[in-house]
């Protein structure tokens, strides 16, 4: 029996690899209004809470803002301060936010959210 590769395999592999190296952020506001391909956002504030880190990002051209929450584990890998410029890259499953050429986090859209699965593995 012959094996056939799935056409979207490279994208799935990229997202799988991305999830291992880039923290996942959850949006507290409608992200699509602010997160668009090529948009440049500015970090307005960074607040550390018991559950993780909360970023407020604003878009200078529209004044719109989005609030992102990173878990404590994800926030440890990323150091962002107020005033940092953040660039948005759109993917079919969400957005990658980066600063100075370094990926900061992945914000899933509805498609991306449906692909995320977290289950404890036991032996």
């Amino acid at each position: 029996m012959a094996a056939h590769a799935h056409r979207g395999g490279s994208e799935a592999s990229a997202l799988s690899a991305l999830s291992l190296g880039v923290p996942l952020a959850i949006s507290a506001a409608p992200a699509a209004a602010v997160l668009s391909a090529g948009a440049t956002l500015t970090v307005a504030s960074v607040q550390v809470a018991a559950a993780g880190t909360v970023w407020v990002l604003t878009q200078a051209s529209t004044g719109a803002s989005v609030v992102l929450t990173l878990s404590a584990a994800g926030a440890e890998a990323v150091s962002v301060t107020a005033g940092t410029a953040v660039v948005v890259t759109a993917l079919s499953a969400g957005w990658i936010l980066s600063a100075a050429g370094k990926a900061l986090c992945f914000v899933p859209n509805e498609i991306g959210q449906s692909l995320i699965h977290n289950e404890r593995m036991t032996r």
Side-chain angles (χ1 to χ4, degrees), residues 9 15 33-34 36 45 51 53 58 74 76 81 86 93 110 116-117:
L15 287 177
V34 178
S36 59
S45 69
T53 303
T58 59
E76 290 174 3
T81 59
V86 176
E110 289 179 14
I116 295 172
H117 178 73

Side-chain angles (χ1 to χ4, degrees), residues 17-79:
L18 179 66
S19 68
L20 298 175
V22 178
L24 180 70
I26 304 302
S27 174
V34 178
L35 301 177
S36 59
T40 301
L41 308 172
T42 303
V43 177
S45 69
V46 177
Q47 299 174 352
V48 178
T53 303
V54 178
W55 297 352
V56 178
L57 304 173
T58 59
Q59 188 175 30
S61 61
T62 63
S65 63
V66 65
V67 177
L68 302 177
T69 304
L70 275 75
S71 68
E76 290 174 3
V78 179
S79 61

